[in-house]
Amino acid sequence: MANSPQARKRARQAEKRRQHNAAMRSMVRTYLKKVNAAIASGDQQSAQAAYQTAVSVLDKATRKGKFHPNKAARHKSRLNEKIKALGAAA
């Protein structure tokens, strides 16, 4: 346990940041699941709308350092590929 006042404060700050980071990661995962659900339903319009929202949330989290930029790009690329495939199948 932290003994000095500075260490106690750093422990408080670290816990606060940990909870905020966990909430941000969870929110991004939720939006990605919404896109996958829209893709699974086969509706390209709703999938595209969900994708736009998810990209915005994912990019914001990436700018704040919650995700590696390559991970964000990989998710966006794979989701966009699936959405385009819906249009080709229709």
Side-chain angles (χ1 to χ4, degrees):
M1 185 62 202
N3 289 322
S4 68
Q6 297 93 330
R8 283 192 207 106
K9 180 177 180 180
R10 292 304 292 172
R12 283 196 310 269
Q13 290 175 331
E15 180 60 21
K16 190 173 178 182
R17 284 195 184 98
R18 185 189 69 78
Q19 289 179 352
H20 183 259
N21 291 345
M24 289 282 285
R25 281 193 309 271
S26 176
M27 182 174 63
V28 169
R29 283 192 215 109
T30 301
Y31 277 100
L32 293 177
K33 285 178 193 172
K34 287 180 183 179
V35 177
N36 282 318
I39 290 169
S41 74
D43 183 10
Q44 189 182 17
Q45 296 298 325
S46 67
Q48 188 64 39
Y51 174 76
Q52 291 299 327
T53 309
V55 164
S56 174
V57 172
L58 183 59
D59 284 343
K60 184 175 180 182
T62 302
R63 276 195 309 274
K64 293 176 181 290
K66 310 305 182 227
F67 291 99
H68 192 279
N70 290 0
K71 179 180 175 123
R74 183 174 67 242
H75 277 291
K76 291 190 294 188
S77 176
R78 288 178 183 171
L79 288 174
N80 199 25
E81 189 177 1
K82 288 179 186 177
I83 292 171
K84 284 183 179 177
L86 280 179

